[in-house]
């Protein structure tokens, strides 16, 4: 839908996919990137929060890998200065610190 310019259909599909993503942080991150491409701001942050929570809980991908993926994704450039984005980054960085401390 996204490639065909059908953003409403893409938005609906991304939200449906997010609703069923309960155990895969990488998929939630991909969904957030798609939402960013169609400029669904609430969807971007909801999917990022889900990705961060799953990464912190399941450690796959690790918080370090999640942060690296977020940093490398150009889709997030318009959102990096937003408090919601900074919140997800801060939570992942805190998890990374816990991991580094061996706690």
């Amino acid at each position: 839908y996204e490639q065909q310019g059908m953003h409403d259909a893409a938005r609906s599909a991304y939200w449906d996919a997010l609703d069923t993503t309960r155990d895969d942080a990488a998929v939630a991150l991909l969904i957030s990137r798609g939402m960013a491409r169609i400029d669904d701001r609430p969807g971007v942050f909801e999917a990022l929060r889900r990705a961060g929570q799953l990464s912190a809980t399941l450690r796959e991908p690790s918080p370090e890998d999640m942060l690296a993926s977020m940093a490398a994704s150009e889709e997030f450039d318009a959102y990096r200065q937003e408090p919601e984005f900074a919140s997800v980054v801060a939570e992942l960085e805190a998890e990374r610190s816990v991991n580094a401390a061996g706690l």
Side-chain angles (χ1 to χ4, degrees), residues 22-65:
R22 300 282 180 233
D23 61 357
D24 196 328
V27 169
L29 182 63
L30 288 174
I31 292 168
S32 68
R33 291 174 60 194
M35 296 243 199
R37 287 191 300 271
I38 62 169
D39 199 28
D40 183 337
R41 186 179 188 280
V44 169
F45 297 125
E46 182 60 31
L48 277 176
R49 278 190 292 277
R50 176 84 47 84
Q53 291 167 348
L54 289 169
S55 175
T57 303
L58 302 174
R59 304 284 189 227
E60 184 57 41
S62 69
E64 296 85 1
D65 290 342

Side-chain angles (χ1 to χ4, degrees), residues 5-28:
M6 301 170 63
H7 290 177
D8 288 339
R11 181 176 293 106
S12 179
Y14 283 133
W15 277 103
D16 288 346
L18 185 60
D19 286 343
T20 62
T21 301
R22 300 282 180 233
D23 61 357
D24 196 328
V27 169

Side-chain angles (χ1 to χ4, degrees), residues 65-89:
D65 290 342
M66 185 65 63
L67 285 166
S69 294
M70 289 170 62
S73 297
E74 293 177 4
E75 291 94 344
F76 298 133
D77 287 351
Y79 301 95
R80 293 188 196 284
Q81 301 304 314
E82 299 291 329
E84 296 94 335
F85 191 91
S87 175
V88 172
V89 169

